Amino acid sequence: MNTDIPLPAHTWPTLEPGWVWLCGAGPGDPGLLTLHAVNALRQADVVIYDALVQEQILSWAPQAEHIYAGKRGGKPSAKQRDISLRLVDLARAGKRVLRLKGGDPFVFGRGGEEAQTLVQHGIPIRIIPGISAGIGGLAYAGIPVTHRDVNQSVTFVTGHDQSGNTPSSLDWTSISKGSQVIVIYMGMKHIAQISQQLIKAGRSLNEPVAVVTTATTDQQQVLETTLGTIVNDIADAGLEPPAIICVGQSVLMRQVLDWQNMAAGQPPRNLDPLGRGRPAESA
């Protein structure tokens, strides 16, 4: 066990040989790991990690073998079946296995598939949730996914399905009409089609949209745009995945909640971006 990273007093679970812990590594910033994740890193014999897991996080498990199993759209990637069965083989070899996945393992992370495979093969598991980029990544950009003056619902969708295409099973008309705020994971590749579907379903061309790339890291970039101009604006800005996309009026709140730029000395752009004409505490 690596004891270089001390943990506060608590009855921490033990990662036993032959077990697999499926753990969320958060959206990027190593400080957003849970203490259960740090405890897992201290004990693992093998860490199988995704593309978005930061190198600093892996350095917290120097005693472990590190195996890359990232899947990135349009790039050579390990097959999901091979990843899942590799976990089975390592556990059967008596290893303490940590499957480290970006964000939360059960939010568009294929964690459910891997966990089910393990259970079907008789491998004991533990699930460690993580902060999803659709919440934490937007928060770092100063965008609340829920705000009482804006929305009473938020819908999380993926921008592509198992085939790599825009999910045909999504009813964009119902999503558009039923949710004031829409958060799209892995949507950059198909943003032209997605934006057209939302406009066709009745969303305004002028609806605010934010694109947050490499969220919570030092390379984070934020584009504030609209549904009607997003395709050209992404191209002009030269943005690349990974990205989280937020559609809805809550994007306007970044004008007053861009805490990173304010910490750097910039004043808020607009203290009342929703035009409510009253102090926030009177809401």
Side-chain angles (χ1 to χ4, degrees):
M1 178 187 294
N2 169 33
T3 59
D4 292 340
I5 305 174
L7 288 169
H10 180 62
T11 306
W12 296 104
T14 300
L15 176 51
E16 301 285 356
W19 280 64
V20 177
W21 287 7
L22 293 101
C23 177
D29 184 341
L32 296 177
L33 261 71
T34 64
L35 290 176
H36 274 304
V38 175
N39 176 53
L41 286 163
R42 286 163 46 106
Q43 301 181 69
D45 296 321
V46 182
V47 178
I48 299 186
Y49 65 98
D50 278 352
L52 301 182
V53 175
Q54 298 292 302
E55 188 66 34
Q56 182 181 347
I57 293 173
L58 295 173
S59 74
W60 293 346
Q63 81 289 345
E65 178 185 3
H66 300 166
I67 299 175
Y68 177 74
K71 297 180 74 66
R72 296 293 297 273
K75 298 182 179 180
S77 303
K79 294 181 179 179
Q80 186 58 54
R81 180 181 183 274
D82 294 339
I83 295 172
S84 297
L85 294 180
R86 183 77 178 277
L87 294 172
V88 172
D89 291 341
L90 288 168
R92 285 179 172 168
K95 301 293 185 180
R96 301 172 178 87
V97 184
L98 175 60
R99 176 64 168 117
L100 199 57
K101 304 177 75 68
D104 180 278
F106 281 4
V107 180
F108 301 124
R110 308 189 190 200
E113 299 170 41
E114 294 177 7
Q116 184 178 12
T117 296
L118 290 163
V119 172
Q120 287 177 342
H121 284 78
I123 305 300
I125 65 171
R126 184 183 184 96
I127 307 299
I128 301 175
I131 297 175
S132 178
I135 298 173
L138 293 177
Y140 258 51
I143 300 169
V145 293
T146 66
H147 185 71
R148 284 196 301 169
D149 284 334
V150 172
N151 63 316
Q152 291 71 51
S153 66
V154 58
T155 298
F156 298 93
V157 302
T158 178
H160 65 76
D161 58 18
Q162 291 179 331
S163 68
N165 299 316
T166 304
S168 58
S169 61
L170 290 179
D171 185 339
W172 289 106
T173 299
S174 296
I175 292 171
S176 178
K177 293 180 178 179
S179 187
Q180 297 103 324
V181 173
I182 304 168
V183 178
I184 306 166
Y185 291 70
M186 298 170 286
M188 288 272 279
K189 180 179 180 181
H190 300 300
I191 191 56
Q193 184 177 349
I194 292 170
S195 59
Q196 289 171 7
Q197 292 271 20
L198 290 173
I199 293 168
K200 182 180 178 181
R203 303 297 278 236
S204 170
L205 289 166
N206 296 318
E207 179 150 21
V209 181
V211 182
V212 185
T213 66
T214 55
T216 79
T217 71
D218 292 339
Q219 292 77 44
Q220 175 179 292
Q221 293 180 275
V222 183
L223 171 68
E224 295 175 55
T225 178
T226 67
L227 207 51
T229 62
I230 185 171
V231 175
N232 289 336
D233 288 346
I234 286 176
D236 290 344
L239 298 183
E240 297 287 344
I244 200 80
I245 300 170
C246 182
V247 180
Q249 294 296 311
S250 62
V251 169
L252 297 176
M253 291 298 294
R254 186 167 192 266
Q255 297 174 21
V256 68
L257 300 180
D258 184 2
W259 61 275
Q260 289 182 313
N261 277 330
M262 286 190 286
Q266 297 182 23
R269 286 175 281 156
N270 186 345
L271 294 177
D272 185 20
L274 300 176
R276 295 300 187 243
R278 52 174 165 73
E281 66 271 16
S282 65

